[in-house]
Amino acid sequence: MNSDDQVLFTNVTVLDGTGADPYRGEVLVEGERIAAVGRTGITRRPSGVHVVDGGGGTVMPGLCDAHAHFTWNNGASLDALADMGVEEHTLLAARSAKTYLDCGYTSCVGAASAKQRIDVVIRDAINAGDIPGPRYLANAKEIASTGGALVPGITNFVDGPDEMRRTVRTLIGLGVDLIKLILSGEEITGSQRAEDTYFTDAEVEMAVREAHNRGVRVCAHARSAESVKMCLRAGVDIIYHASFIDEEGMDELERQKDRVFVAPGINWIIATLEDAGPWGFTPDLAEQVGYKRELEIAVEGMREAHRRGIRVLPGGDYGFAWTPHGTYARDLVHFVKLFGFTPMEAIVAATRQGGEIMGQPNDLGLVSPGYLADLLLVEGDPLADIALLQDADRIKVVMKGGRFHKAPAATVSSGAPAFGDEVLVTL
Ligand SMILES: [Zn+2]
């Protein structure tokens, strides 16, 4: 990982994350931030700047995954995570963090850690520059009610507002950025229906109040219609899944759309229906327990949410055997194919709105002067083929905070560098 004070991306198309049409231009990075963005010939060119010739590729903001689990181990079930040694588990999470960054994800929202402190430790190590990884909102073990856990061995159990208060305060004391509540079931458990709803309003309101008092946000696994409405009554900040949202919930979601985010994690359902057979969860079985029906209903719900201008963000539950780490950008294709997003809208959801869900809307998610230089140089045009973002080989450069995580592949002599330029690469 090099540190370069000044880097100029030239001969690129700038896809800036705002939703505006891309344009041919240049991007100048100074220190950790973007200093200037301009159409070719406009950007000033400091002497001694490192020039990256993008070869006509696309410079765009780094991607954000709104529902990430660094501690998931690509296993067929999460039960083994409870028994994994904390040392091995921490190393595994570090590898996941690097994989996200390798794939162009410069921000991730942690949606539960299989052990209490791993997310926090990994986040701090990333921020200290000790290990590579995206900017990360750290979570702890998810909180469920007795009898309401999806994976009991990796869960904090809470019953009643008083226990909720104590547990939320304890997790805040560990340094989390987010609290995760399990408000509904999940069909793959075999015992807890996705349309079941756990916890009471009093418990959820307590979690939100305690978290917000300390500047910590709350996210929730909420598949049932009632659980989505419970989130909206209590002020939960990030609603995961929302598969069975009903009309009343949708209306309320729309009223709160400037505050709340929805991340359906739709690839989990699709992959569970299509790709889990080798691990014993055949398409027939997945359909039988209800995932096909849930997918159909969830797709309609997310299409409607998108029509209403609700922020629906990609990302979700990668790290199972059939949703392995490194395949994160599958979500973007689903958004286009199933939810009615244009490729541009899918990219805005993963970039500009990613900055918003990270809580840094003025720092993250755009190629714009003053923003942190979390940038990708992509070979090709993601608007023409959104699936190309699934191919890490097509992501030629990954920069986070002005530093190369993935540096230009080769140093190429420009022949006649202007103003003492050092030309780093031609794609
Ligand atoms: Zn999850």
Side-chain angles (χ1 to χ4, degrees):
M1 199 186 294
N2 324 348
S3 166
D4 291 294
D5 286 332
Q6 294 175 318
V7 176
L8 180 70
F9 292 90
T10 189
N11 188 22
V12 293
T13 295
V14 179
L15 176 55
D16 67 10
T18 63
D21 286 340
Y23 54 89
R24 301 287 301 169
E26 293 183 328
V27 179
L28 177 65
V29 175
E30 290 184 318
E32 64 175 355
R33 290 184 186 266
I34 297 165
V37 182
R39 302 190 186 250
T40 300
I42 292 177
T43 301
R44 70 194 165 84
R45 182 175 286 225
S47 82
V49 67
H50 298 288
V51 176
V52 176
D53 182 335
T58 302
V59 167
M60 60 178 285
L63 301 166
C64 176
D65 187 302
H67 182 140
H69 296 290
F70 288 174
T71 52
W72 280 197
N73 69 339
N74 291 348
S77 135
L78 298 181
D79 291 325
L81 298 181
D83 300 323
M84 183 181 286
V86 70
E87 299 86 355
E88 289 86 349
H89 213 156
T90 306
L91 290 171
L92 182 153
R95 285 196 296 275
S96 306
K98 177 177 180 294
T99 302
Y100 266 105
L101 199 51
D102 290 343
C103 294
Y105 283 77
T106 53
S107 292
C108 288
V109 179
S113 172
K115 291 191 173 67
Q116 206 78 301
R117 290 185 64 243
I118 292 181
D119 261 20
V120 168
V121 167
I122 293 290
R123 176 203 63 197
D124 290 351
I126 292 169
N127 290 346
D130 293 336
I131 60 171
R135 301 176 196 280
Y136 193 50
L137 298 184
N139 220 308
K141 293 199 291 185
E142 54 200 25
I143 299 175
S145 56
T146 296
L150 306 181
V151 187
I154 59 171
T155 298
N156 293 300
F157 287 96
V158 157
D159 294 291
D162 289 345
E163 285 186 20
M164 182 67 85
R165 173 166 46 209
R166 176 180 296 279
T167 297
V168 169
R169 287 178 177 180
T170 300
L171 301 186
I172 290 170
L174 297 177
V176 300
D177 301 299
L178 278 171
I179 299 288
K180 168 86 175 286
L181 304 178
I182 300 299
L183 297 190
S184 80
E186 173 77 47
E187 300 296 350
I188 202 167
T189 61
S191 55
Q192 286 135 301
R193 301 292 319 282
E195 292 172 86
D196 290 346
T197 302
Y198 313 125
F199 280 133
T200 60
D201 280 338
E203 291 166 313
V204 177
E205 283 162 11
M206 178 65 82
V208 171
R209 188 184 325 138
E210 288 297 321
H212 286 183
N213 275 347
R214 301 287 296 277
V216 167
R217 288 185 288 163
V218 178
C219 61
H221 173 100
R223 293 195 182 275
S224 70
E226 181 56 27
S227 66
V228 173
K229 288 186 277 195
M230 188 178 265
C231 287
L232 293 165
R233 286 194 295 272
V236 167
D237 304 279
I238 300 170
I239 301 176
Y240 287 134
H241 312 307
S243 303
F244 294 100
I245 185 169
D246 62 13
E247 192 65 25
E248 187 188 357
M250 189 69 77
D251 289 344
E252 190 54 36
L253 192 57
E254 185 176 7
R255 268 192 288 279
Q256 299 189 30
K257 68 182 178 185
D258 294 333
R259 181 191 72 74
V260 74
F261 298 88
V262 177
I266 203 69
N267 183 66
W268 156 254
I269 299 181
I270 294 165
T272 300
L273 276 164
E274 294 177 357
D275 303 326
W279 294 274
F281 210 66
T282 60
D284 280 353
L285 186 57
E287 180 172 347
Q288 196 184 317
V289 303
Y291 279 110
K292 184 156 186 249
R293 171 173 168 268
E294 179 171 350
L295 177 63
E296 287 166 4
I297 294 170
V299 164
E300 274 317 301
M302 290 307 110
R303 291 181 75 91
E304 176 65 12
H306 180 53
R307 272 194 292 271
R308 296 196 191 197
I310 293 156
R311 291 177 292 188
V312 179
L313 269 60
D317 270 326
Y318 291 91
F320 288 83
W322 51 94
T323 63
H325 285 290
T327 62
Y328 317 114
R330 284 188 64 172
D331 259 67
L332 299 174
V333 172
H334 301 322
F335 272 49
V336 172
K337 284 196 174 158
L338 297 177
F339 293 167
F341 281 55
T342 64
M344 179 67 91
E345 288 171 337
I347 285 171
V348 168
T351 58
R352 186 183 82 205
Q353 293 180 348
E356 293 169 2
I357 199 172
M358 291 296 291
Q360 293 185 264
N362 300 313
D363 287 318
L364 298 177
L366 296 184
V367 183
S368 181
Y371 275 67
L372 288 162
D374 289 8
L375 299 172
L376 310 181
L377 172 59
V378 179
E379 182 184 39
D381 177 6
L383 295 178
D385 177 13
I386 190 84
L388 72 80
L389 292 170
Q390 294 177 38
D391 183 356
D393 291 340
R394 303 285 294 274
I395 301 175
K396 297 296 182 183
V397 171
V398 178
M399 174 179 268
K400 191 185 122 199
R403 289 169 175 255
F404 290 120
H405 168 67
K406 188 174 189 180
T411 301
V412 177
S413 166
S414 69
F419 311 110
D421 295 347
E422 177 192 349
V423 176
L424 292 179
V425 71
T426 302
L427 289 180

